[in-house]
Amino acid sequence: MAAFWQQRGRRQENSGLGSVIDGLGSVFDVLLANARLVLGVSGAAVLAIATLAVKRLIDRATSPRDEGDPKAEQKSLEDSWQDLALIKTTPKPPKKQRREDLSEPLLSPARPVVPGEAADPRGSSAPLGAPQVKSSPLRCLTLQERLLSHSSQLAVPEIQVSLVPQLARSICTQLQNFLRSKCPELPFGRLFLSGALLDGLEVLAADHIHLMLPVVLDAGLWSLISGEDTVVRNPQYWMVKRIDLGYFPRGCSPWDRFIVGRYLSSSVLNETLHKLLVASINWPAIGGLLGCAIHPVVASRELKLEVKHDQVDLSITLFPVVEMEDKVLLAVPPEGLVENLWLESFYRAEVSRVKELDAGDSGARQLCLRILNGVCKSQPSLHKLGGSPVTHVILHLSDTASDWAEESLADRFQQVLEELVASLEKGVLPSYFNPKINLFSRLLEEEIDEMGFVLYRAISEPEVLL
């Protein structure tokens, strides 16, 4: 080994390597002289140590060995490895702090032991001196966690929760006063508000509310006929028939002016109220009094008001409503030639039943309903599915699935999606309160296909809805 180093030293000297080394030495000296200016104090110190170690390696490699000392070669090799270790273990200068580094955690969680890998008894498999930098793994949320997180994002802003009912009640009062002065002969009941906002089921934004206008009828002069017994053959609609005309001729009831073929016409009543809303009420003056702008929607078949306030845009829909024989009927006739039909509304019974069930078992039906209403509101293709259809599916499931605790929210949510897809495939969703009523009867085939496609995909990937 000694002969190897001597022969290598002679080859380097004969090839003029000594002159090159001298040149490198001068370069190192220049670098060290300017390192403090370029790298700073700590950087210059590191460079000096590294340069010194390299020069010592070169000196030992090129210097002649003492042939009489057999341990000289071994000592030289040991010194060389020590110099290499000196370079390796020299601490690096601290990296300049970046702005994005300020958001990183100071401590990283310990890396889990991979099966088959030997665990380090000191708690780390990295060698001493190696930086302990580990990236924290991304945490995959379960469907349950995603649903609970999503529900917290559905809350209506507090300013809307307080402002919208107050603004709607003020408009309600103004409209009530106008109807009493303009139509004193018509016994309208007291206007009242209705909608998901008042029942705690509204999501995302309080942008609409219903204004219910009771039509007070004399039960001795009027009776109900189911739509199932009429030409429309639809049990969700009813007709309000004028009776006993032989004893009580026309004119005995103030509502006789809205009769078409012995039936109280929802279309004629809506047309009369529409003219009043558009042409007779001074909405600019009322809006100026309430600090908002109110405009009736002229082109709509519904009785609608658009309200623009500094903090909210609100749509108010007016519904004449008849309550007879435990039925709640709205003046919402279907499109077509039949204009005497009244739509039966189950909204009041739906909300009451859901809250009653939740109160009985501390269930999460209302939470599930709010999440699904939020999904339908944010997905344009699912707009017509929100509200009543989703509520009836939840009520049907409540008869078979008894566990509605919050911990089972993900399972119930998945079940609702599956039931909706099954109902859309058949095109039939029976009403919870009247199985003869198909809640999908008013949907077009294209709408059913589009909703079914979106929900069928969501069964395997519910996250696409959230």
Side-chain angles (χ1 to χ4, degrees), residues 208-211 266-267 269-275 277-278 295-306 315-320 330-335 343 384 442:
H208 66 280
I209 200 166
H210 296 160
L211 192 56
S266 54
S267 296
L269 180 58
N270 277 340
E271 290 172 2
T272 303
L273 291 173
H274 188 273
K275 292 177 182 178
L277 291 178
V278 172
H295 303 283
V297 181
V298 179
S300 175
R301 293 180 70 247
E302 298 178 318
L303 305 175
K304 239 179 197 182
L305 300 174
E306 297 293 342
S315 174
I316 299 179
T317 305
L318 178 65
F319 289 103
L330 304 181
V332 184
E335 295 184 5
L343 178 67
K384 292 187 177 181
R442 302 173 67 186

Side-chain angles (χ1 to χ4, degrees), residues 60-121:
R60 291 194 188 95
T62 56
S63 61
R65 304 294 179 228
D66 186 2
E67 297 181 357
D69 187 2
K71 297 182 179 181
E73 181 64 24
Q74 180 68 24
K75 181 179 179 181
S76 176
L77 290 176
E78 291 176 356
D79 292 340
S80 299
W81 287 114
Q82 291 175 1
D83 292 336
L84 288 176
L86 176 65
I87 297 175
K88 184 176 181 181
T89 59
T90 300
K92 296 182 180 180
K95 183 176 66 173
K96 185 178 180 181
Q97 188 75 13
R98 297 179 301 170
R99 180 174 297 181
E100 53 268 26
D101 295 337
L102 297 177
S103 61
E104 297 180 357
L106 297 178
L107 297 177
S108 300
R111 180 175 65 90
V113 177
V114 179
E117 179 183 355
D120 192 340

Side-chain angles (χ1 to χ4, degrees), residues 250-268:
R250 287 196 177 203
C252 293
S253 173
W255 302 106
D256 287 344
R257 55 185 287 192
F258 302 104
I259 288 179
V260 175
R262 296 187 64 178
Y263 296 96
L264 182 63
S265 174
S266 54
S267 296
V268 174

Side-chain angles (χ1 to χ4, degrees), residues 229-261:
D229 300 328
T230 65
V231 293
V232 296
R233 299 298 179 187
N234 190 335
Q236 192 170 2
Y237 288 96
W238 293 77
M239 301 183 77
V240 183
K241 184 179 180 181
R242 177 69 157 84
I243 59 175
D244 292 337
L245 286 174
Y247 295 98
F248 304 98
R250 287 196 177 203
C252 293
S253 173
W255 302 106
D256 287 344
R257 55 185 287 192
F258 302 104
I259 288 179
V260 175

